[in-house]
């Protein structure tokens, strides 16, 4: 009997992480880039595999999806370079080693000409041997709060001067390649913009905002579904407590003090005004710097199904400490911290997605399955693509990451094809 064309089998006693947060041992069948139902294959087609990949007891999980990454390896997505697509391709190739199979290149607040030059050059792409897939651009700003601008340059912030939808077109130009927009829902005209973006199929996120809970709930009722880096750059905020040996990384611009009378955007995690059948997701930068472990645990325990791990990585990711850029700002890397030069304002991270997964699991005490779903299933659900990505369900794209027991990445597959593998460590020889 001839073998099925382009059929692959990943086999030999590995753990399969399922969408139902359950681990099981079985084989994974792939053909033409998609995961197959083996029962139909055996009984209906009477077929067998023509290629087998021994996963050697690895944890097998859906490929990671990063919906907020500003750049890396010297590439800044918010810079209008001569060849923007080449920079996106470089990052797409490099992040394969961190288990990322799809991502949203993110632009921070920028001059209008940057949007008009960059956006037409960033094309949606399924990914493959050339790199992780591009799901569309995430535009973080410029329609954000002056009070919570963080590392975003004040001179380029915008309000909705023309009532909402017209401002979007004026500032961004075409939205054809845009997957997500972060805005502040308290800005006048923002609710019209939310409705227009959702009508066009763009995910709306709330962030860099002084909105109260009522304003945030109104935006969700109009279609918003995400919170950009929960706790960071939103109300209510107070002065930072003194650093301690257990938590020496606190900075005043990113410390949240929960206020019981109006929790602001954070209150969306337990709001009873979310439309029936809808979910609110929230991003967490689990790099050990942006969010105190206790705050991360609080968020996860309040709304575990909504947690989406993001790196918020900048151009300095993968490079030595020193001076780098984030859009129009100069960034200084000091150890694992990224600051706007001359300030103590945090400005993105230099973390990789696999680092965030490991840190999240460690400090939250969650299961392996929960940690992996926060980097795969939840971002896919957020973007409305969980029928294709973020799961190992039959019919899904075979974007897969192989992990060791410490959640280190061993290999990455896109559409069933191996696109990166960790080099085996050389054995030490006796003297």
């Amino acid at each position: 009997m001839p073998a099925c064309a382009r059929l692959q089998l990943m086999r030999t006693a590995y753990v399969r992480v399922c969408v139902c947060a359950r681990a099981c041992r079985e084989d994974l069948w792939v053909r033409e880039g998609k995961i197959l139902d083996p029962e139909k294959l055996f009984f209906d087609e009477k077929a067998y595999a023509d290629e087998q990949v021994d996963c050697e007891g690895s944890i097998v999980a859906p490929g990671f999806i990063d919906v907020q990454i500003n750049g890396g390896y010297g590439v800044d997505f918010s810079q209008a370079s001569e060849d923007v697509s080449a920079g996106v391709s470089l990052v797409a190739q490099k992040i394969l080693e961190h288990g990322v199979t799809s991502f949203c290149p993110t632009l921070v607040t920028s001059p209008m000409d940057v949007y008009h030059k960059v956006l037409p050059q960033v094309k949606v792409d399924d990914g493959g041997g050339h790199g992780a897939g591009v799901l569309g651009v995430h535009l973080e700003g410029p329609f954000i709060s002056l009070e919570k601008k963080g590392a975003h340059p004040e001179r380029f912030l915008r309000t909705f001067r023309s009532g909402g939808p017209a401002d979007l077109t004026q500032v961004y130009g075409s939205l054809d390649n845009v997957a997500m927009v972060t805005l502040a829902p308290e800005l006048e005209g923002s609710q019209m913009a939310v409705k227009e973006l959702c009508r066009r199929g763009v995910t709306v996120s709330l962030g860099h905002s002084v909105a109260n809970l009522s304003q945030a709930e109104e935006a969700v009722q109009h279609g918003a579904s995400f919170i950009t880096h929960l706790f960071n750059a939103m109300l209510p905020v107070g002065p930072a407590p003194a650093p301690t040996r257990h938590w020496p990384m606190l900075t005043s611009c990113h410390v949240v003090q929960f206020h019981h009378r109006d929790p602001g955007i954070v209150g969306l995690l337990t709001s009873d005004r979310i439309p029936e059948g809808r979910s609110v997701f929230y991003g967490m930068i689990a790099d050990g710097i942006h969010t105190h472990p206790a705050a991360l645990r609080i968020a996860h325990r309040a709304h575990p199904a909504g947690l989406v791990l993001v790196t918020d990585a900048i151009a300095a990711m993968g490079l030595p400490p020193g001076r780098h850029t984030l859009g129009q700002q100069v960034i200084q890397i000091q150890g694992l911290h990224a600051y706007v030069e001359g300030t103590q304002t945090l400005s993105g991270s230099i973390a990789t997605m696999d680092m965030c997964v490991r840190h999240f699991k460690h400090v939250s005490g969650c299961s392996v399955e929960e940690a992996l779903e926060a980097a795969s299933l939840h971002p896919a659900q957020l973007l409305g693509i969980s029928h294709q990505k973020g799961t190992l369900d039959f019919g899904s794209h075979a974007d897969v990451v192989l992990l060791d027991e410490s959640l280190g990445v061993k290999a990455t597959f896109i559409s069933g094809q191996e696109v990166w593998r960790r080099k085996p460590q050389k054995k030490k020889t006796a003297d």
Side-chain angles (χ1 to χ4, degrees):
M1 183 185 301
C4 293
R6 297 180 65 188
L7 180 68
Q8 301 178 42
L9 168 64
M10 296 181 180
R11 65 191 301 269
T12 308
Y14 63 78
V15 177
R16 172 182 172 189
V17 180
C18 304
V19 66
C20 55
R22 175 177 58 88
C24 55
R25 291 179 179 271
E26 59 181 81
D27 294 335
L28 188 68
W29 290 78
V30 178
R31 179 169 59 192
E32 295 180 351
K34 294 185 178 181
I35 298 172
L36 298 179
D37 180 347
E39 290 192 8
K40 292 183 179 179
L41 185 72
F42 295 147
F43 296 112
D44 296 347
E45 298 184 34
K46 297 181 173 56
Y48 62 92
D50 58 12
E51 181 181 351
Q52 298 181 2
V53 178
D54 187 345
C55 296
E56 301 176 334
S58 301
I59 296 171
V60 178
F64 300 152
I65 300 171
D66 194 348
V67 300
Q68 187 175 3
I69 173 172
N70 308 289
Y73 310 96
V75 176
D76 184 345
F77 298 141
S78 299
Q79 295 283 344
S81 64
E82 290 298 320
D83 191 350
V84 173
S85 59
V88 173
S89 296
L90 174 63
V91 175
Q93 178 65 44
K94 292 285 189 178
I95 59 180
L96 294 174
E97 68 180 278
H98 303 294
V100 178
T101 54
S102 299
F103 70 112
C104 292
T106 303
L107 274 67
V108 297
T109 296
S110 303
M112 281 198 297
D113 66 307
V114 169
Y115 295 117
H116 294 175
K117 290 177 182 177
V118 171
L119 292 183
Q121 297 188 60
V122 183
K123 305 295 185 182
V124 174
D125 177 78
D126 285 336
H130 59 283
V134 176
L135 299 173
V137 177
H138 178 176
L139 299 173
E140 187 185 1
F143 301 103
I144 60 175
S145 164
L146 174 63
E147 293 90 335
K148 297 297 164 200
K149 60 183 174 60
H152 292 238
E154 180 178 330
R155 64 189 182 279
F156 299 124
L157 299 182
R158 298 280 299 226
T159 58
F160 292 104
R161 302 168 186 169
S162 302
D167 298 281
L168 299 172
T169 304
Q170 180 186 12
V171 172
Y172 299 137
S174 173
L175 293 170
D176 290 347
N177 299 316
V178 175
M180 185 184 305
V181 171
T182 292
L183 53 77
E186 72 275 14
L187 297 181
E188 186 176 354
S190 64
Q191 302 302 340
M192 291 293 294
V194 170
K195 289 193 286 187
E196 177 63 16
L197 288 166
C198 293
R199 187 187 68 80
R200 298 191 186 196
V202 176
T203 297
V204 175
S205 184
L206 312 180
H208 288 277
S209 167
V210 294
N212 57 38
L213 178 55
S214 178
Q215 291 167 324
E217 289 171 331
E218 183 182 3
V220 171
Q221 290 159 7
H222 286 146
S225 57
F226 192 50
I227 304 171
T228 295
H229 44 53
L230 186 75
F231 296 131
N232 299 147
M234 60 187 60
L235 282 183
V237 175
T244 69
R245 66 184 180 89
H246 300 294
W247 189 250
M249 307 170 183
L250 300 174
T251 59
S252 61
C253 61
H254 281 86
V255 177
V256 170
Q257 294 183 335
F258 182 84
H259 198 287
H260 61 281
R261 283 192 291 274
D262 193 335
I265 290 177
V266 176
L268 289 174
L269 271 63
T270 58
S271 172
D272 58 1
R273 295 186 60 198
I274 306 302
E276 187 175 354
R278 292 268 308 284
S279 296
V280 174
F281 295 87
Y282 58 96
M284 297 293 289
I285 311 170
D287 62 351
I289 294 172
H290 279 79
T291 308
H292 193 285
L296 197 158
R297 287 192 291 270
I298 288 170
H300 176 247
R301 292 172 189 176
H303 185 27
L307 194 150
V308 173
L309 291 176
V310 299
T311 63
D312 200 21
I314 64 173
M317 179 182 67
L319 300 179
R323 297 174 83 247
H324 300 276
T325 66
L326 175 60
Q328 311 304 307
Q329 304 274 42
V330 176
I331 307 301
Q332 187 73 37
I333 304 300
Q334 301 175 17
L336 297 177
H337 295 69
Y339 298 117
V340 174
E341 190 172 49
T343 75
Q344 288 295 299
T345 300
L346 285 173
S347 54
S349 81
I350 55 173
T352 59
M353 183 57 80
D354 55 326
M355 290 171 55
C356 291
V357 170
R358 291 190 293 271
H359 180 74
F360 169 52
K361 181 184 180 300
H362 174 69
V363 303
S364 71
C366 72
S367 67
V368 170
E369 291 83 6
E370 287 178 302
L372 295 174
E373 286 184 345
S376 56
L377 173 62
H378 297 173
Q381 291 173 329
L382 164 68
L383 295 176
I385 57 173
S386 58
H387 60 293
Q388 297 177 326
K389 300 181 183 294
T391 77
L392 299 181
D393 288 350
F394 303 143
S396 295
H397 295 179
D399 296 349
V400 174
V401 59
L402 305 190
L403 305 156
D404 59 30
E405 293 302 317
S406 300
L407 300 184
V409 179
K410 296 173 65 176
T412 304
F413 292 73
I414 293 181
S415 296
Q417 302 296 319
E418 183 177 299
V419 292
W420 182 85
R421 180 170 289 274
R422 185 169 69 192
K423 295 180 180 178
Q425 294 182 341
K426 294 183 179 179
K427 294 183 179 179
K428 293 182 179 180
T429 56
D431 295 335

